[in-house]
Amino acid sequence: MMNEIEYTNLAAINGPLVFIDRVRNVGFGELVEIRSGSGQLRLGQVVEIDEERAVVQVFEGTSGLPLEGIKTVFLGKCLEMPVSREMLGRVFDGIGRPVDGAPQVTSDIMMDVNGLPINPYSREYPRDFIQTGISAIDGMNTLIRGQKLPIFSGSGMPHNMIAAQIARQAAILTAEEEFTVVFAAMGVKFDVANFFIESFEKSGALGNSAIFLSLADAPSIERLITPRSALTLAEYLAFTEGMHVLVILTDMSNYCESLRELSSSRGEIPSRKGYPGYLYSDLASIYERAGRIKGKQGSITQIPILTMPSDDISHPIPDLTGYITEGQIVLERELFNKSIYPPIAGLPSLSRLMKDGIGEGRTRKDHAGVAAQLFACYARVKRIRALASIVGEEELTALDREYLKFGSLFEMEYLSQGPDENRTIETTLDIGWRVLSTLPAEELYRISREDIQKYYIPSAGAESHGAD
Amino acid sequence: MDDLIHGLVTSVNGPIVRARGLTGVSMLDIAEVGPDRLIGEVIKLDGDVAIIQVYEDNTGLKPGDEVLSSGRPLSVLLGPGLISNIYDGIQRPLVDIANILGSYIKKGVKVSPLDTTRKWLFRPTVKPGDRIDPGAIIGEIEETGSVLHRVMAPPDVSGTLDWIAAEGSYTIEEDIYRVKGSADYSGKLSSYWPVRKKRPFKNRKKSGIPLITGQRIIDTFFPIAKGGTAVIPGGFGTGKTMTQHALAKWCDADIIIHIGCGERGNEMTDVLNEFPKLIDPRSGRPLMERTVMIANTSNMPVPAREVSIYTGITIAEYYRDMGYHVAVMADSTSRWAEALRELSSRLGDMPAEEGFPSYLATRLAEFYERAGYIETLAGMEGSITTIGAVSPPGGDFSEPVTQHTTRFVRCFWALDKVLADARHYPSISWIDSYTEYIDEVRSWWNDLDSSWYGTRNDAMHILLEDNRLQQIVKLVGPDALPVAEQLILFSAEMIKNGFLQQNSFDPKDMHCSPDKQLMLLKLFVDFYHEAKRLIASGIDLKRITSLSAASEIIRLKSEIDNSEIDRINTHEQEMKSQLSALGAEAAKKTVAAAGGTDGTP
Ligand SMILES: Nc1ncnc2c1ncn2[C@@H]1O[C@H](COP(=O)(O)OP(=O)(O)O)[C@@H](O)[C@H]1O
Ligand SMILES: [Mg+2]
């Protein structure tokens, strides 16, 4: 029910917040329309209310907003968005308004942009393997339908290329399934957004993605709504329309910065590096919207992208993200500098849902063992490399030198691949065996004897590698 | 029935609501807020203003909305039907909520935590005229295939039993007994208990019994006693949740309370899927039949996260009072502490370290104090073992939650990022972890096998030496070390791969019986001692390390099931015969060499 009273003038403005006095019958979290003298309309949300005053956070920001001549109406409801299948193939701003020149979306279905928590009892545990065609992911950090798996990157590294490659290559499905991408850009430049749009357009299966843009020149506060708008549509598509939706959110670091800005203008006590103490819960309210639901067809898989300030994984943004998401794909500067694409770090990357999504009947029986062994051996390579840099390679044992060979082969043949190269999981596992077979079979204690018997290539260690 | 206190909302700031007019309300009383009657708790009183923390989403709440309070504290409903259930932080049953509301949790739903229609077969164990002391057992109910629910008189009731219902089926709301005493009391199968108040017991006792977890690094190297406390600190992805799940599955407690506090929804779903299918090796019944879950995931209201650990521990105390050994897993106490921080900052409290309120340490101490091995009011033995995960920002253990927690717990299972990166699981560091329970559990192990303590210490010695030598290796390489030290490196590697590492997904190795643990450990320690002798008698280390037995015994953990450990003996013999063959050769060489110098004409 609409609250018809219109208030004139603002009591104060501070950053993205405006203060309105002597309001009546206004609820916490309520949506607000703010119209300035020029007729320009902005939306906001009540973030604090008492008997005197409402504090409203303005999504479009307050720049250019005077105190006088403002008309405010409280709408008596939360921020909602119309959702429909027609939104596929369209481009929207951060709050879900079309910016592609085509008409406003009409739909009977309005959804609360903030979503609701999924009852843990109603979740379906995600187990379906998505073949991304990228060995470092499929083989060692398997992506599962309904997973939230972020890419932790650094400036200049090819996170966008990887995300786009995943989107393109994951689109191949059985005939009766529908797949789509919902893309949200927060605070990135137009060419980044354009790169994705073109990449989606190029690949036929993704021609119909929905795009939510809140680019670098849009008000910072709008970024806080953008991922939520995208996820609201995704929820509709997944759980009402039964589609498998891949949501790409970039760049979550910009999102977090906007949140920090808002928090500081509210005068809140900052936590680490000035980010608010509730950053964890706030991020969780986005990331936890991924998943599957019992009895529903579709799924929401999230790939949030974030750039780690100075490649620091312990920075609050990647740190808190890692605590919420179901693993992380970490890009490594060292591999990137060696021109290895994709520069997916061997050790800190992790897929927590991999364990239940692989193996016999899903991928292949030897998958878990091969993955664990590659991790263990590569960890040893890193140790030996550190040692070799001090004592020199000559001082290494013969076995250690074999490990070094394994290490470079692993990087060159297993990790490296083309940006359009789409490997099957069998190919990935076979390359894994070829690489592991440079080591003596006794070293492969993470793999069952049975699998060693079946897949180990006895001559590989003796011959020069990469012959086939 | 209007003994309700009425008030009006004056302000809303996130989950913190101020209200006026609640005269007579006390601290920690329940308040029902707004038209949806959202559950809240009075957390501060300031003159005419009550500050209420609301446990549900309160969007839409307005100044002027009504607040009601019954003047009762926030409580947990205790009774049969708790086991196998899953609750949110304020004990709302998530299964029922899903049945009513569908897949999403909406605000304002009111459902009883326990099924009020189900009839339980009750068997009285006392008769009219019997004396009833506080906490006395009144009767029994088979709650699940593995849990016999003992119906207890509340801790504040005593007198003479006036009447008790005959054996038969009753709901939790029917009167089943009456006690005549200083005040007359009518008892049901269920009762309320304030969530923040610890339940009384007769006295604390020394435990002496380990909580066997089936995880080798814990049971053998860093054991915890029943009634003990432990913390698992670790950065993201190092294995806190997996370790807690493994313990919840395989530890030999009677009851498991699993509190998912501000963590992932899917991890709760994982437990809900797995536990009904997994069979408890002790009872032969599904693990779910001894488990209660509290799930206040990261996207659910933050204030309820703060209560969730109290809800969990109160339920734990209730079963402890029946004479059970209960294990509480809290994942993650950091999220609880953050909830505390968020609320205190909204209240404008002076922040102490890193924004946490100054009472953080007190609250942590109170929580871990509720663990212990005790004699119940009814004279039985029961215990609560509390195991809390801590999620330090940036994986840095110097932060306040880790630091304060270590002051109040006696086991420290430190998770190591380097081990986790190498997929060495559990990634519990054998260098940084410690336990204060060794002496307490030693005699238990000694009864199993008198060589336990010595073997354990020998193995620990090898691991610590290895750690020291690794520092040198980093500078000079392994080949520069004397052979005896190279043997230590090799033996430590065997122990790490063949003993410490234990994959939770390995069907034969996910849990390991105490016997299997000891047999495996002996193999490695014996191997080391034997090899040391051989080296001293001049055998080349390479020949020892390349024995097929050396690589065989590393695989035994996942090739031999708990039920077929006799097969370990065969491998032991094979290992010993390979080693003694080398020994015989050495002896022959010495003789031959001696013969050679003697010279014959
Ligand atoms: N004991 C174990 N056995 C096998 N895998 C494990 C084990 N412990 C951890 N892992 C792996 O590590 C991942 C992260 O563990 P988790 O317990 O979720 O970490 P945390 O709770 O510390 O963030 C899991 O998804 C699993 O793949
Ligand atoms: Mg965890």
Side-chain angles (χ1 to χ4, degrees):
Chain A
M1 76 199 140
M2 183 108 154
N3 190 334
E4 288 302 337
I5 306 170
E6 193 179 81
Y7 298 89
T8 30
N9 297 351
L10 302 173
I13 302 177
N14 176 11
L17 303 175
V18 301
F19 301 77
I20 302 149
D21 279 352
R22 285 179 296 281
V23 295
R24 291 224 334 274
N25 206 23
V26 167
F28 175 70
E30 196 170 306
L31 195 62
V32 185
E33 269 181 11
I34 300 160
R35 204 178 291 274
S36 57
S38 59
Q40 192 200 9
L41 180 72
R42 306 186 201 215
L43 285 178
Q45 183 183 10
V46 177
V47 292
E48 210 176 315
I49 173 89
D50 61 26
E51 292 164 309
E52 294 293 308
R53 172 175 268 211
V55 184
V56 173
Q57 152 192 335
V58 184
F59 301 138
E60 293 90 341
T62 51
S63 114
L65 201 66
L67 289 175
E68 312 278 299
I70 303 292
K71 301 232 178 301
T72 316
V73 178
F74 291 84
L75 298 179
K77 59 173 189 189
C78 295
L79 181 56
E80 287 179 333
M81 192 174 94
V83 287
S84 83
R85 225 172 218 277
E86 265 64 77
M87 292 172 80
L88 293 174
R90 301 282 308 271
V91 185
F92 306 92
D93 71 2
I95 347 187
R97 294 172 295 207
V99 290
D100 52 5
Q104 181 76 40
V105 176
T106 51
S107 170
D108 299 339
I109 308 169
M110 296 294 284
M111 284 173 69
D112 179 350
V113 168
N114 286 308
L116 286 166
I118 302 175
N119 187 328
Y121 175 75
S122 303
R123 283 184 184 265
E124 178 83 45
Y125 195 76
R127 303 193 63 149
D128 297 341
F129 163 67
I130 300 179
Q131 182 170 296
T132 68
I134 298 174
S135 292
I137 296 176
D138 294 350
M140 297 172 74
N141 303 287
T142 317
L143 178 65
I144 303 292
R145 245 183 217 167
Q147 184 170 16
K148 36 191 182 288
L149 188 64
I151 299 177
F152 289 5
S153 186
S155 52
M157 289 204 274
H159 42 266
N160 295 329
M161 227 162 124
I162 296 169
Q165 187 176 5
I166 294 172
R168 281 194 317 268
Q169 298 183 169
I172 297 144
L173 298 162
T174 59
E176 67 272 19
E177 292 173 318
E178 277 189 290
F179 178 86
T180 194
V181 171
V182 173
F183 173 75
M186 288 89 68
V188 298
K189 294 205 196 72
F190 178 73
D191 48 345
V192 171
N194 207 38
F195 166 81
F196 278 99
I197 295 169
E198 276 177 6
S199 164
F200 298 153
E201 272 168 3
K202 251 201 331 223
S203 99
L206 298 179
N208 280 331
S209 352
I211 316 269
F212 292 78
L213 297 181
S214 177
L215 298 178
D217 54 1
S220 143
I221 194 89
E222 186 186 307
R223 292 177 205 160
L224 298 180
I225 307 299
T226 314
R228 297 185 164 88
S229 305
L231 284 162
T232 303
L233 176 61
E235 276 167 0
Y236 170 78
L237 294 172
F239 304 129
T240 304
E241 297 284 340
M243 302 175 89
H244 294 291
V245 187
L246 178 70
V247 179
I248 298 175
L249 308 170
T250 188
D251 178 327
M252 286 306 289
S253 304
N254 296 334
Y255 171 89
C256 295
E257 261 153 42
S258 297
L259 194 69
R260 175 167 66 177
E261 230 174 278
L262 174 68
S263 166
S264 90
S265 56
R266 293 187 63 186
E268 293 167 340
I269 303 164
S271 178
R272 283 173 73 213
K273 299 217 158 133
Y275 293 92
Y278 51 80
L279 180 59
Y280 174 86
S281 302
D282 186 277
L283 286 173
S285 74
I286 294 173
Y287 298 145
E288 278 286 315
R289 290 173 80 171
R292 304 200 68 155
I293 291 180
K294 266 188 217 162
K296 310 247 165 133
Q297 266 293 305
S299 62
I300 297 180
T301 309
Q302 272 188 35
I303 302 192
I305 297 171
L306 55 89
T307 42
M308 301 181 278
S310 32
D311 292 355
D312 176 11
I313 196 168
S314 70
H315 183 281
I317 299 173
D319 191 48
L320 294 177
T321 297
Y323 272 119
I324 303 163
T325 52
E326 287 149 339
Q328 63 279 339
I329 301 293
V330 184
L331 305 192
E332 185 184 286
R333 188 70 60 184
E334 197 183 316
L335 291 171
F336 177 65
N337 289 343
K338 282 190 200 168
S339 304
I340 289 171
Y341 175 89
I344 295 178
L347 302 183
S349 300
L350 168 73
S351 164
R352 294 164 187 261
L353 298 188
M354 174 172 183
K355 52 195 164 77
D356 299 300
I358 60 168
E360 210 161 7
R362 295 183 175 273
T363 54
R364 209 167 78 181
K365 184 173 158 294
D366 55 323
H367 193 161
V370 171
Q373 194 63 62
L374 286 169
F375 277 116
C377 292
Y378 194 55
R380 178 137 173 204
V381 168
K382 293 263 173 171
R383 265 201 325 269
I384 297 170
R385 280 183 187 164
L387 177 64
S389 70
I390 295 168
V391 300
E393 236 175 85
E394 325 72 55
E395 291 300 310
L396 298 177
T397 63
L399 182 61
D400 282 355
R401 281 197 294 271
E402 287 183 63
Y403 266 98
L404 289 186
K405 276 191 215 153
F406 157 82
S408 42
L409 200 61
F410 171 74
E411 288 170 359
M412 298 317 299
E413 300 211 347
Y414 188 90
L415 290 185
S416 296
Q417 67 185 88
D420 283 310
E421 186 181 350
N422 191 357
R423 293 181 185 163
T424 64
I425 183 65
E426 284 78 19
T427 309
T428 290
L429 288 169
D430 291 345
I431 300 174
W433 276 105
R434 206 162 69 219
V435 173
L436 284 172
S437 296
T438 51
L439 293 168
E442 306 82 69
E443 289 295 302
L444 309 184
Y445 48 84
R446 297 277 178 94
I447 304 180
S448 74
R449 286 185 224 239
E450 202 184 313
D451 288 340
I452 291 184
Q453 203 122 68
K454 185 157 174 200
Y455 296 106
Y456 184 77
I457 311 159
S459 54
E463 282 169 9
S464 202
H465 1 278
D468 53 334
Chain B
M1 57 154 274
D2 210 39
D3 45 359
L4 291 177
I5 306 166
H6 294 252
L8 294 177
V9 171
T10 60
S11 76
V12 187
N13 175 7
I16 299 292
V17 170
R18 277 160 224 266
R20 215 177 15 227
L22 289 170
T23 350
V25 83
S26 313
M27 272 294 276
L28 307 184
D29 279 355
I30 307 180
E32 296 188 13
V33 182
D36 293 320
R37 306 189 75 167
L38 307 174
I39 300 294
E41 189 183 13
V42 176
I43 53 166
K44 219 173 198 176
L45 287 168
D46 182 3
D48 187 30
V49 178
I51 299 174
I52 299 161
Q53 151 172 325
V54 179
Y55 292 121
E56 304 177 62
D57 172 21
N58 61 352
T59 40
L61 194 66
K62 298 170 179 166
D65 279 348
E66 191 177 41
V67 182
L68 301 173
S69 177
S70 60
R72 271 213 320 265
L74 185 67
S75 299
V76 179
L77 180 60
L78 301 169
L82 288 166
I83 304 283
S84 306
N85 228 323
I86 174 167
Y87 295 108
D88 76 356
I90 51 170
Q91 211 202 2
R92 289 186 306 177
L94 290 174
V95 178
D96 296 323
I97 290 184
N99 290 337
I100 298 167
L101 296 177
S103 325
Y104 293 94
I105 300 175
K106 293 169 203 133
K107 60 185 170 183
V109 58
K110 302 264 180 283
V111 197
S112 165
L114 295 174
D115 188 341
T116 52
T117 56
R118 176 161 176 190
K119 288 195 178 253
W120 297 92
L121 184 60
F122 169 73
R123 208 169 42 246
T125 53
V126 288
K127 51 187 188 317
D130 283 356
R131 162 136 201 97
I132 301 297
D133 289 322
I137 310 291
I138 300 292
E140 295 171 340
I141 289 168
E142 193 173 313
E143 184 173 357
T144 68
S146 21
V147 177
L148 184 70
H149 192 104
R150 304 199 170 102
V151 181
M152 294 172 286
D156 50 0
V157 168
S158 64
T160 313
L161 189 73
D162 186 39
W163 167 79
I164 187 155
E167 175 164 346
S169 295
Y170 303 96
T171 68
I172 58 160
E173 295 193 322
E174 290 174 72
D175 284 339
I176 55 153
Y177 65 99
R178 207 162 47 230
V179 178
K180 271 207 171 328
S182 48
D184 289 356
Y185 176 81
S186 265
K188 306 181 196 323
L189 294 180
S190 64
S191 57
Y192 284 95
W193 187 265
V195 63
R196 294 181 194 273
K197 186 170 157 192
K198 60 176 191 247
R199 285 172 63 90
F201 49 82
K202 207 168 268 170
N203 47 264
R204 283 190 189 267
K205 305 189 83 168
K206 203 167 173 72
S207 149
I209 313 168
L211 180 81
I212 295 297
T213 67
Q215 309 301 302
R216 284 185 294 269
I217 185 161
I218 293 178
D219 293 344
T220 299
F221 290 108
F222 307 104
I224 181 168
K226 288 209 169 81
T229 47
V231 61
I232 314 178
F236 63 81
T238 51
K240 297 177 293 297
T241 302
M242 289 290 302
T243 305
Q244 291 207 326
H245 282 194
L247 264 55
K249 286 175 192 163
W250 309 121
C251 81
D252 65 349
D254 304 311
I255 309 281
I256 303 292
I257 313 289
H258 196 289
I259 311 168
C261 176
E263 294 284 312
R264 302 177 184 86
N266 275 332
E267 292 175 345
M268 298 293 120
T269 313
D270 194 15
V271 174
L272 285 173
N273 284 347
E274 268 198 280
F275 279 39
K277 290 182 209 140
L278 292 171
I279 298 300
D280 180 351
R282 297 185 317 140
S283 65
R285 307 285 312 171
L287 284 170
M288 203 62 200
E289 292 191 359
R290 64 163 194 180
T291 308
V292 184
M293 292 182 63
I294 313 289
N296 216 91
T297 56
S298 56
N299 55 342
M300 283 156 76
V302 172
R305 194 189 292 172
E306 190 267 326
V307 197
S308 66
I309 71 163
Y310 298 107
T311 302
I313 200 103
T314 305
I315 295 173
E317 286 175 342
Y318 179 60
Y319 283 95
R320 173 203 67 186
D321 292 346
M322 294 178 203
Y324 289 120
H325 297 292
V326 185
V328 175
M329 311 291 155
D331 186 12
S332 155
T333 59
S334 292
R335 306 301 165 219
W336 166 80
E338 285 163 11
L340 214 61
R341 173 171 70 187
E342 188 170 333
L343 296 163
S344 88
S345 106
R346 282 189 199 268
L347 289 173
D349 291 347
M350 258 304 269
E353 309 139 280
E354 308 208 0
F356 288 105
S358 53
Y359 47 82
L360 171 68
T362 320
R363 293 286 172 87
L364 279 167
E366 282 166 2
F367 173 65
Y368 285 104
E369 262 306 294
R370 289 174 81 167
Y373 197 98
I374 57 119
E375 184 183 347
T376 68
L377 292 178
M380 292 174 295
E381 289 192 5
S383 69
I384 295 178
T385 310
T386 301
I387 297 160
V390 170
S391 319
D396 176 2
F397 293 175
S398 67
E399 57 88 40
V401 182
T402 317
Q403 284 305 308
H404 288 306
T405 305
T406 55
R407 290 165 51 202
F408 311 123
V409 302
R410 297 179 59 201
C411 260
F412 187 76
W413 298 327
L415 300 183
D416 184 309
K417 182 87 183 110
V418 175
L419 290 176
D421 276 354
R423 270 53 171 179
H424 172 112
Y425 297 121
S427 69
I428 297 173
S429 161
W430 49 93
I431 304 299
D432 300 329
S433 301
Y434 62 80
T435 177
E436 294 175 12
Y437 294 107
I438 278 289
D439 290 333
E440 226 171 292
V441 304
R442 190 170 156 185
S443 72
W444 185 93
W445 280 95
N446 197 50
D447 291 347
L448 186 76
D449 188 319
S450 58
S451 67
W452 178 74
Y453 193 63
T455 310
R456 171 196 181 270
N457 288 355
D458 283 357
M460 198 66 212
H461 174 76
I462 295 170
L463 291 168
L464 292 175
E465 271 299 285
D466 169 72
N467 184 55
R468 186 180 66 81
L469 294 171
Q470 291 294 351
Q471 311 306 317
I472 303 172
V473 170
K474 265 188 208 151
L475 301 174
V476 296
D479 281 354
L481 295 182
V483 203
E485 296 189 336
Q486 288 183 33
L487 174 66
I488 291 202
L489 299 186
F490 182 78
S491 305
E493 209 56 34
M494 285 174 88
I495 295 174
K496 290 178 209 169
N497 293 324
F499 189 83
L500 295 176
Q501 200 220 320
Q502 187 175 1
N503 187 332
S504 286
F505 304 108
D506 186 326
K508 290 189 176 164
D509 200 34
M510 51 176 72
H511 67 106
C512 184
S513 69
D515 291 303
K516 183 177 162 187
Q517 297 192 24
L518 189 54
M519 285 172 91
L520 287 177
L521 193 64
K522 273 189 189 161
L523 282 180
F524 298 113
V525 171
D526 288 352
F527 181 92
Y528 168 73
H529 287 311
E530 205 50 51
K532 197 169 157 187
R533 266 193 287 282
L534 290 176
I535 289 173
S537 62
I539 298 285
D540 188 7
L541 177 62
K542 272 264 154 46
R543 306 221 21 224
I544 303 172
T545 59
S546 55
L547 288 176
S548 67
S551 53
E552 299 270 314
I553 60 175
I554 292 177
R555 291 178 171 275
L556 296 184
K557 58 173 189 177
S558 45
E559 288 179 348
I560 295 181
D561 197 83
N562 288 317
S563 62
E564 37 175 30
I565 47 175
D566 288 347
R567 279 177 47 209
I568 297 180
N569 293 325
T570 326
H571 289 272
E572 185 188 358
Q573 259 139 40
E574 174 60 23
M575 176 188 94
K576 290 206 162 140
S577 78
Q578 287 189 13
L579 287 165
S580 56
L582 283 182
E585 202 181 298
K588 221 185 283 165
K589 248 196 223 152
T590 338
V591 173
T597 41
D598 268 353
T600 30

